[in-house]
Amino acid sequence: MRSSLAPGVWFLRAFSRDSWYRGFILLITFLIYTCYHMSRKPISVVKSRLHHNCSEMIQPIGDTHRLNDTTWCNWAPFDQSNYKELLGAVDNAFLVAYAIGMFISGIFGERLPLRYYLTAGMLLSGLFTSLFGLGYFWNIHALWYFVLIQICNGLVQTTGWPSVVTCVGNWFGKGKRGLIMGIWNSHTSMGNILGSLIAGVWVDEQWGLSFVVPGIITAVMGLVTFFFLIEYPEDVDCSPPQHHGELEENVDNAEDPGNGPHSNRENGLESAVTLSKEPSAQPAAISFFGALWIPGVVEFSLCLLFAKLVSYTFLYWLPLYIFNVVHFTAKESGDLSTLFDVGGIAGGILAGLISDYTNGRATTCCVMLILAAPTMFLYNYVGQSGISISIVMLLTCGALVNGPYALITTAVSADLGTHKSLKGNAKALSTVTAIIDGTGSIGAALGPLLAGLISPTGWNNVFYMLITADILACLLLCRLVYKEILGWRSSLSRDRGSSVALTHAR
């Protein structure tokens, strides 16, 4: 029995048990979202197979196409001259549905059991991903079919992000949230890498399997989620995390050094969130507009819109860019594009580590965004001059582009969703996460669409568009960066004052 153990022994056992469960939650949510992103990636690899120059291939005997037809090996309807616009429409169908659904998903995520919600989302996502690939085996050439499947898949995939962030937020406090979530957020890049590699196995032969196999894996992971996901520490008698402490006080000081309009925003927020004083009572879910009152939500949401525009344009168009510019095969282009995601893993971890150490989430994002702009410019102009340069530039671009994106969607979302002004109401986490990522998903929808429209005029113009979006993302954080700098100056002044007082005392 617990009471028969010495206090120190009981503490060690409890700590070990809590740590084990927290590690397990990190692992299972990591695998869950890896599968979500793995099922999104194949379309970017298969694009180069749906339309490419057939003149270098041997036309099979009995084919009805003309001998000088260079589109006989393409997949209709993407064999037309406007194939880039059509492929962009397929991308946009998923991303627009995802952006719209994300704002709704957070509301459902707060009110439904996360285990059931995630399970249903993964099973349906696996189904629709597989249905896209089955279009190959069923010999479907209607554009509306692929667009409809993408719309359905975009809607069901919105079940993933708010749910996994909420689950991790339920288990982890603010201590080293930036570093922990920076490492954990590598699931995004890991999913992209696995999706590219799996799709690359079948892209040149039976491209339908590039979708069917990730779809089956995603559905199987949905069943694992149903049987093993634990939503709250209290469900297994573990200690709940502490969401507030010195870190948040410093953030609050940086956000509002004095009595200003920020206090009015908190008062408005407190009136939007109703909490019961009974210990056993569950806090009420926050409203959509109540979540917007949380300081920093609007700025980070708009910043993510442009940051995600850049990231998702690389996600959906980088393999085709490499295919057209370097003239690699579809498989080689997909494999090389994974280096961008490898760099993204390092960038997410680095951003989390720096932001934890400096207590400056906005400043960390801003610096990385500033460095990303010239890096993308250099990659477009010199990145294809050699394989070594291309590898280095892809890794660097991935780190600088995905670092801020990863930090905002994880640590920043969790910070704002458990903000001190919420008075401990962690139920706001799902809604805040959905608002931030939903706004970012608007940019994710715009990026590939604009790339599809602009790329016929030249890839240089696509990169100019990406650099412009990157600069706008940086500018949107200026107010928060200024507040963080004021907070650092105030902290340094207090430290110097303490040092002087200590010297006089001696």
Side-chain angles (χ1 to χ4, degrees):
M1 294 179 62
R2 181 180 296 178
S3 58
S4 64
L5 296 174
V9 175
W10 175 84
F11 172 78
L12 289 175
R13 289 190 180 181
F15 176 79
S16 177
R17 185 172 182 274
D18 286 3
S19 298
W20 190 92
Y21 271 107
R22 283 184 168 85
F24 174 75
I25 292 300
L26 279 181
L27 175 62
I28 193 171
T29 51
F30 180 94
L31 294 175
I32 288 170
Y33 212 69
T34 295
C35 289
Y36 272 102
H37 255 265
M38 176 186 64
S39 63
R40 299 178 195 176
K41 184 63 176 178
I43 183 63
S44 67
V45 178
V46 174
K47 276 179 182 176
S48 57
R49 180 64 183 84
L50 296 176
H51 186 103
H52 63 115
N53 194 325
C54 307
S55 59
E56 299 178 357
M57 302 179 66
I58 300 175
Q59 189 168 347
I61 299 175
D63 191 90
T64 58
H65 290 80
R66 297 187 304 272
L67 292 176
N68 61 348
D69 188 355
T70 60
T71 66
W72 64 266
C73 63
N74 295 329
W75 190 267
F78 307 106
D79 57 347
Q80 306 299 317
S81 59
N82 64 336
Y83 73 98
K84 288 185 179 179
E85 288 84 350
L86 297 179
L87 290 172
V90 172
D91 291 341
N92 214 51
F94 175 92
L95 293 167
V96 169
Y98 185 86
I100 295 173
M102 183 60 73
F103 290 104
I104 305 171
S105 179
I107 298 173
F108 284 111
E110 288 185 2
R111 292 159 174 81
L112 296 175
L114 292 181
R115 185 164 61 93
Y116 298 149
Y117 195 49
L118 274 171
T119 299
M122 297 195 76
L123 290 175
L124 290 173
S125 180
L127 171 65
F128 290 120
T129 301
S130 299
L131 284 174
F132 194 104
L134 290 173
Y136 170 85
F137 298 102
W138 294 341
N139 204 29
I140 296 176
H141 296 279
L143 179 64
W144 67 263
Y145 174 83
F146 298 106
V147 170
L148 180 62
I149 292 300
Q150 287 290 78
I151 290 173
C152 294
N153 202 8
L155 290 174
V156 298
Q157 287 235 347
T158 61
T159 58
W161 189 241
S163 300
V164 294
V165 172
T166 299
C167 189
V168 172
N170 290 340
W171 280 85
F172 289 87
K174 283 184 171 283
K176 293 292 182 181
R177 182 174 277 169
L179 176 59
I180 291 173
M181 286 196 158
I183 297 172
W184 173 76
N185 192 64
S186 61
H187 51 50
T188 299
S189 297
M190 188 62 68
N192 293 340
I193 293 170
L194 288 175
S196 296
L197 295 178
I198 293 173
V201 174
W202 292 286
V203 64
D204 290 321
E205 302 296 333
Q206 296 179 312
W207 61 259
L209 290 175
S210 298
F211 294 90
V212 173
V213 173
I216 293 173
I217 295 173
T218 301
V220 170
M221 190 63 208
L223 297 177
V224 173
T225 301
F226 177 78
F227 287 108
F228 294 103
L229 183 67
I230 304 169
E231 185 174 347
Y232 294 104
E234 296 86 347
D235 293 341
V236 286
D237 296 326
C238 288
S239 304
Q242 294 295 321
H243 286 299
H244 306 289
E246 181 180 355
L247 176 61
E248 180 163 357
E249 290 175 3
N250 291 336
V251 172
D252 291 337
N253 289 336
E255 177 66 27
D256 183 24
N259 296 325
H262 173 66
S263 58
N264 294 330
R265 294 182 71 182
E266 287 195 3
N267 291 335
L269 175 62
E270 289 169 13
S271 63
V273 183
T274 304
L275 292 174
S276 173
K277 295 182 180 179
E278 295 293 331
S280 59
Q282 290 293 324
I286 193 173
S287 68
F288 179 88
F289 292 103
L292 290 177
W293 278 102
I294 300 173
V297 167
V298 173
E299 289 94 333
F300 276 115
S301 296
L302 294 175
C303 172
L304 185 63
L305 186 151
F306 292 103
K308 209 167 181 179
L309 184 154
V310 177
S311 180
Y312 266 65
T313 302
F314 274 100
L315 173 67
Y316 280 91
W317 287 93
L318 182 58
L320 186 62
Y321 169 76
I322 296 173
F323 179 84
N324 288 338
V325 175
V326 189
H327 306 295
F328 283 176
T329 66
K331 184 180 187 307
E332 291 170 341
S333 300
D335 292 345
L336 185 61
S337 70
T338 61
L339 293 174
F340 181 83
D341 294 296
V342 173
I345 295 175
I349 295 173
L350 183 63
L353 184 63
I354 294 174
S355 67
D356 276 343
Y357 180 76
T358 62
N359 190 25
R361 307 282 199 220
T363 305
T364 302
C365 291
C366 194
V367 170
M368 296 186 80
L369 289 168
I370 291 172
L371 295 175
T375 304
M376 286 189 288
F377 180 84
L378 289 174
Y379 172 67
N380 182 43
Y381 277 92
V382 303
Q384 309 306 329
S385 58
I387 188 65
S388 298
I389 296 177
S390 182
I391 291 173
V392 173
M393 295 300 296
L394 277 172
L395 291 171
T396 307
C397 280
L400 295 175
V401 168
N402 284 342
Y405 161 38
L407 185 63
I408 294 173
T409 55
T410 54
V412 170
S413 296
D415 287 350
L416 296 176
T418 55
H419 194 269
K420 188 174 72 172
S421 58
L422 293 167
K423 305 297 183 183
N425 183 9
K427 272 187 168 290
L429 183 53
S430 182
T431 298
V432 170
T433 302
I435 289 173
I436 293 176
D437 200 53
T439 306
S441 297
I442 296 174
L446 286 173
L449 174 64
L450 292 174
L453 296 174
I454 296 173
S455 57
T457 68
W459 286 104
N460 288 346
N461 294 329
V462 175
F463 276 86
Y464 293 148
M465 180 266 291
L466 297 178
I467 292 170
T468 301
D470 183 87
I471 294 171
L472 290 174
C474 183
L475 292 176
L476 285 164
L477 293 180
C478 286
R479 188 186 74 86
L480 297 179
V481 170
Y482 175 69
K483 295 294 185 182
E484 287 180 352
I485 292 174
L486 290 181
W488 291 336
R489 290 178 60 184
S490 177
S491 178
L492 287 173
S493 298
R494 287 196 301 269
D495 291 342
R496 289 173 181 171
S498 300
S499 300
V500 171
L502 182 61
T503 301
H504 287 312
R506 289 179 179 177

